[in-house]
Amino acid sequence: QVELVQSGAEVKKPGASLKLSCKTSGYTFNSHYLHWLRQAPGQGLEWMGIINPTFGNTDYAQKFRGRFTMTMDTSTSTLYMELNNLRPEDTAVYYCARELPKALDYWGQGTLVTVSS
Amino acid sequence: DIVMTQTPLSLSVTPGQPASIACKSSQTLLHSDGKTYLSWYVQKPGQSPQLLIYEVSNRFSGVPDRFSGSGSGTDFTLKISRVEAEDVAIYYCSQSIHLPRTFGQGTKVEIK
């Protein structure tokens, strides 16, 4: 069965960097695009970026360009995200998700990230 | 960016009664390939979002048939034919025709 298992909760100080992982299993890693999204406390869903696992090409939401990077390790079928220069407003639950295509059919369990001094 | 607008933002429904959520996009979601890329997701309390419906009206694997989606172009509807207690959740529509992917604000469904 398809599974996306994310790394554990993080507490960071403003200005720090964050790296999260999302280990996939149950399917051929390079057969589906992957996404990162986030959800601030009590808020809706915000899309951050997409990666094509076959070629590694990415596309990011404008608001994150310059401080957000998606990478992957095909040998372990793992997706990563890095977000730099963290701000308190980056406090959120971060989700990875698989593309069906054109819909997000499987989601990770979410990783709570708290940014606070 | 495509703006997705849901109405209502909250809904209180008696078990066994129907419920309907509207979603409007700021641009057509009809792709040149003939498909319309509108999806619905459900997020139950404390859980990750889950795919309910894709391409307007296709139920994802395991989704009960009391959920149905309809619409075209820029106007879409999610219907629950008979609401059950387990349907308490926030429902989101989303477009996937263009990047960035965007979502509606969410509709909170509660049981009376």
Side-chain angles (χ1 to χ4, degrees):
Chain A
Q1 71 284 17
V2 175
E3 283 194 309
L4 284 70
V5 179
Q6 299 182 226
S7 48
E10 302 261 13
V11 179
K12 295 287 187 181
K13 293 196 182 302
S17 292
L18 171 72
K19 187 168 187 175
L20 302 181
S21 66
C22 170
K23 183 166 176 57
T24 72
S25 61
Y27 75 100
T28 302
F29 182 70
N30 63 1
S31 62
H32 293 262
Y33 287 31
L34 289 163
H35 299 251
W36 284 101
L37 305 94
R38 73 180 188 181
Q39 186 171 38
Q43 302 301 306
L45 295 164
E46 180 175 35
W47 181 82
M48 300 181 72
I50 184 174
I51 190 167
N52 177 345
T54 299
F55 301 112
N57 52 306
T58 55
D59 202 340
Y60 306 139
Q62 179 68 39
K63 72 177 285 187
F64 299 111
R65 287 177 192 163
R67 68 180 188 111
F68 175 68
T69 305
M70 293 176 67
T71 57
M72 60 185 186
D73 182 344
T74 55
S75 68
T76 60
S77 301
T78 302
L79 170 70
Y80 297 94
M81 63 150 276
E82 190 161 359
L83 187 62
N84 299 318
N85 191 20
L86 289 169
R87 309 154 185 167
E89 52 266 36
D90 292 319
T91 294
V93 176
Y94 288 74
Y95 295 102
C96 58
R98 191 186 83 157
E99 170 118 339
L100 181 60
K102 296 297 192 181
L104 302 177
D105 61 349
Y106 288 92
W107 296 62
Q109 82 277 21
T111 297
L112 175 62
V113 174
T114 303
V115 182
S116 173
S117 54
Chain B
D1 298 1
I2 296 177
V3 177
M4 306 297 290
T5 303
Q6 289 181 228
T7 53
L9 298 185
S10 66
L11 203 47
S12 185
V13 187
T14 301
Q17 293 301 301
S20 181
I21 301 168
C23 175
K24 188 174 183 66
S25 58
S26 61
Q27 301 175 29
T28 183
L29 303 186
L30 174 62
H31 195 275
S32 56
D33 65 8
K35 296 182 180 179
T36 300
Y37 292 115
L38 183 282
S39 306
W40 290 95
Y41 298 87
V42 59
Q43 187 173 30
K44 296 183 179 181
Q47 294 185 18
S48 303
Q50 299 171 262
L51 178 63
L52 269 179
I53 303 274
Y54 62 98
E55 292 173 19
V56 180
S57 59
N58 296 294
R59 276 187 300 276
F60 185 57
S61 174
V63 174
D65 61 8
R66 65 178 183 276
F67 291 93
S68 64
S70 62
S72 63
T74 60
D75 292 280
F76 306 94
T77 303
L78 175 70
K79 291 184 179 175
I80 311 174
S81 59
R82 295 172 305 280
V83 172
E84 298 185 3
E86 67 182 35
D87 299 333
V88 167
I90 300 175
Y91 294 80
Y92 295 94
C93 62
S94 175
Q95 63 81 20
S96 48
I97 190 172
H98 293 306
L99 295 177
R101 299 287 174 88
T102 50
F103 294 80
Q105 316 97 299
T107 296
K108 187 173 186 178
V109 172
E110 298 174 322
I111 298 295
K112 278 185 185 174

